[in-house]
């Protein structure tokens, strides 16, 4: 068994993963706009692929931040989902995901939503596993890293509050 300790691993550059979908009538509500949950599932899957490719491990979603939908996606349009690891801890990663809608006739794109997804890498026994440190070089990568660090801290705090609330409810 090959065991890697976080600090002994070589830093790795993250790649952007893109996925495309066409919105069909069964993906939409009566207003002919895509279900938010359907779009979130696509985002989670694309983010999971980005995290798995980065870590070279199986990953699971730990949390996601609040998500706002800026523009709707209509039936017949395409979505392009872009995901990239922007922050790495010992066993976890934050992946930034952006979604644009594209008109198939004009090619015109408009932003729909963005969010950060938190993933944990797993070993062959489904235990958290170390991931390589992230190589952060450009100004944009540094900015994204700082934002993701805040997102990660907020997720940890949210989890702590949920656990405390559940413990109080057990009394």
């Amino acid at each position: 068994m090959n065991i890697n300790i976080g600090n002994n691993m070589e830093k790795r550059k993250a790649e952007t993963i893109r996925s495309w979908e066409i919105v069909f009538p069964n993906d939409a509500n009566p207003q002919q706009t895509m279900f938010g949950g359907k779009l979130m599932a696509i985002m989670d899957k694309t983010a999971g692929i980005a995290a798995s490719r980065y870590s070279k491990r199986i990953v699971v979603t730990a949390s996601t931040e609040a998500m706002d939908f800026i523009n709707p996606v209509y039936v017949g349009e395409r979505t392009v989902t872009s995901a990239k690891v922007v922050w790495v801890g010992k066993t976890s990663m934050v992946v930034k995901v952006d979604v644009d809608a594209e008109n198939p006739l004009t090619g015109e794109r408009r932003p729909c939503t963005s969010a950060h997804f938190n993933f944990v890498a797993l070993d062959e026994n489904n235990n958290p596993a170390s991931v390589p440190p992230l190589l952060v070089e450009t100004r944009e990568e540094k900015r994204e890293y700082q934002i993701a660090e805040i997102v990660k801290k907020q997720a940890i705090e949210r989890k702590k509050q949920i656990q405390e609330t559940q413990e109080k409810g057990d009394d």
Side-chain angles (χ1 to χ4, degrees):
M1 180 184 338
N2 186 8
I3 299 176
N4 291 314
I5 306 300
N7 291 338
N8 294 336
M9 298 171 116
E10 189 173 320
K11 285 188 177 184
R12 184 174 297 160
K13 187 98 171 141
E15 67 177 305
T16 300
I17 301 297
R18 286 189 178 79
S19 68
W20 290 81
E21 297 281 335
I22 296 174
V23 181
F24 290 102
N26 62 332
D27 299 325
N29 60 33
Q31 286 74 36
Q32 300 301 300
T33 61
M34 186 176 200
F35 290 124
K38 172 80 176 180
L39 189 56
M40 290 172 68
I42 293 166
M43 293 171 74
D44 187 33
K45 190 184 307 182
T46 308
I49 292 168
S52 182
R53 283 184 59 91
Y54 175 82
S55 64
K56 298 191 182 341
R57 298 230 180 235
I58 298 298
V59 298
V60 292
T61 308
S63 67
T64 183
E65 70 174 331
M67 192 178 310
D68 296 310
F69 297 96
I70 303 162
N71 287 302
V73 183
Y74 295 99
V75 170
E77 290 187 314
R78 296 183 285 246
T79 61
V80 58
T81 305
S82 303
K84 184 177 181 181
V85 173
V86 293
W87 182 91
V88 171
K90 184 179 178 202
T91 63
S92 64
M93 295 157 281
V94 175
V95 180
K96 183 175 189 282
V97 185
D98 298 305
V99 179
D100 291 338
E102 182 180 85
N103 181 305
L105 302 176
T106 66
E108 179 185 342
R109 287 189 188 177
R110 66 186 179 287
C112 294
T113 190
S114 289
H116 291 87
F117 287 71
N118 295 293
F119 287 87
V120 174
L122 301 177
D123 66 14
E124 57 278 353
N125 297 313
N126 291 327
N127 294 313
S130 294
V131 295
L134 182 64
L135 181 60
V136 179
E137 299 176 306
T138 69
R139 182 178 299 177
E140 178 67 14
E141 289 170 343
K142 289 174 185 174
R143 187 179 75 77
E144 291 293 349
Y145 183 93
Q146 291 171 336
I147 292 168
E149 199 165 40
I150 294 167
V151 168
K152 181 64 176 178
K153 286 178 185 174
Q154 290 172 340
I156 291 168
E157 183 59 33
R158 234 183 8 257
K159 183 177 179 181
K160 182 179 163 189
Q161 290 174 353
I162 290 168
Q163 288 172 335
E164 288 172 358
T165 301
Q166 288 175 340
E167 289 171 6
K168 288 179 185 175
D170 292 342
D171 293 341

